[in-house]
Amino acid sequence: MSAPYILVLYYSRHGATAQMARQIARGVEMSGLEARLRTVPAVSTECEAVAPAVPEEGAVYATLDDLKHCSGLALGSPTRFGNMAAPLKYFLDGTSSLWLTGELVGKPAGVFTSTSSLHGGQESTLLSMMLPLLHHGMLLCGLPYAEAALLETRGGGTPYGPSHHAGSDGKRQLDEHEIALCRALGKRLAQVAGKLEQ
Ligand SMILES: Cc1cc2nc3c(=O)[nH]c(=O)nc-3n(C[C@H](O)[C@H](O)[C@H](O)COP(=O)(O)O)c2cc1C
């Protein structure tokens, strides 16, 4: 049996969501819990295309066991047409065995996203990412307005979860408020998971 951990599970094509994932993991670890960073492979229009078992760089691919044994989950995706990206949805669509056995019931979860435009669907993506987690019986954690950055941000950051405005060229870096809110979600998940496991 491994030590308790928060699973930070994300898809990122160009790296912005991956940066957010690393800040959320930092927040988890600042609260004394282990963070397990995992990604999912891209999906292909070729039905038989298979990705290498280990990605060339970055986090390794998530397994159902990573999800089954986590104490909490942070789920991240780029916004695509106001919704989560297909690779993450594809992974979630493969979790029905965990749903059937209720493995995720009662575990805390939060969501995060990155967009190229400031009003291009951050909230709709975050809210829709919550739906499969509710079906799994997870306990959703947003961000309370006690987080000062939520009122000060000039980029991303919502009460539904951390978000990032990467800009039309994808080059805008996480700003101080976006970083603070990513870390706040990580801390919150670690703290709630700790309390639930007492
Ligand atoms: C197919 C597609 C759809 C997208 N839809 C949106 C959108 O609805 N709103 C938005 O602001 N950005 C949209 N984007 C831009 C991405 O959300 C943005 O570049 C994001 O920061 C990428 O995250 P990543 O660096 O983790 O891959 C879209 C990108 C693609 C490829």
Side-chain angles (χ1 to χ4, degrees):
M1 196 69 180
S2 66
Y5 62 89
I6 300 294
L7 180 63
V8 184
L9 172 62
Y10 67 93
Y11 175 70
S12 182
R13 177 78 195 273
H14 298 293
T17 314
Q19 277 185 43
M20 296 183 77
R22 287 192 285 275
Q23 292 297 336
I24 290 167
R26 186 87 67 89
V28 170
E29 285 169 355
M30 286 162 91
S31 290
L33 215 62
E34 184 189 319
R36 187 175 290 188
L37 275 167
R38 292 289 184 269
T39 189
V40 295
V43 290
S44 168
T45 50
E46 290 176 56
C47 295
E48 299 298 327
V50 177
V54 180
E56 281 177 15
E57 57 181 23
V60 299
Y61 295 135
T63 65
L64 290 185
D65 269 356
D66 288 324
L67 201 50
K68 179 176 174 178
H69 297 298
C70 72
S71 300
L73 171 70
L75 186 71
S77 172
T79 286
R80 289 196 171 169
F81 303 122
N83 212 320
M84 81 175 92
L88 195 65
K89 178 69 164 56
Y90 184 77
F91 179 84
L92 292 174
D93 285 356
T95 61
S96 36
S97 60
L98 301 183
W99 172 77
L100 278 169
T101 49
E103 300 288 352
L104 304 181
V105 172
K107 295 185 185 194
V111 291
F112 58 102
T113 191
S114 173
T115 59
S116 60
S117 59
L118 192 49
H119 302 290
Q122 294 184 347
E123 280 96 339
S124 63
T125 299
L126 294 173
L127 290 169
S128 58
M129 287 175 75
M130 292 178 183
L131 299 179
L133 306 182
L134 285 166
H135 279 253
H136 271 293
M138 302 193 88
L139 304 175
L140 289 166
C141 293
L143 291 169
Y145 274 92
E147 297 296 339
L150 216 44
L151 289 165
E152 292 166 11
T153 182
R154 296 278 185 270
T158 85
Y160 314 108
S163 57
H164 169 52
H165 171 219
S168 53
D169 60 1
K171 289 188 176 150
R172 184 176 173 276
Q173 298 298 302
L174 290 176
D175 67 30
E176 59 175 317
H177 301 121
E178 293 171 334
I179 289 173
L181 293 169
C182 285
R183 291 187 184 179
L185 180 68
K187 283 182 197 167
R188 193 157 198 228
L189 288 170
Q191 286 163 1
V192 171
K195 284 181 183 164
L196 288 172
E197 283 178 4
Q198 273 170 10

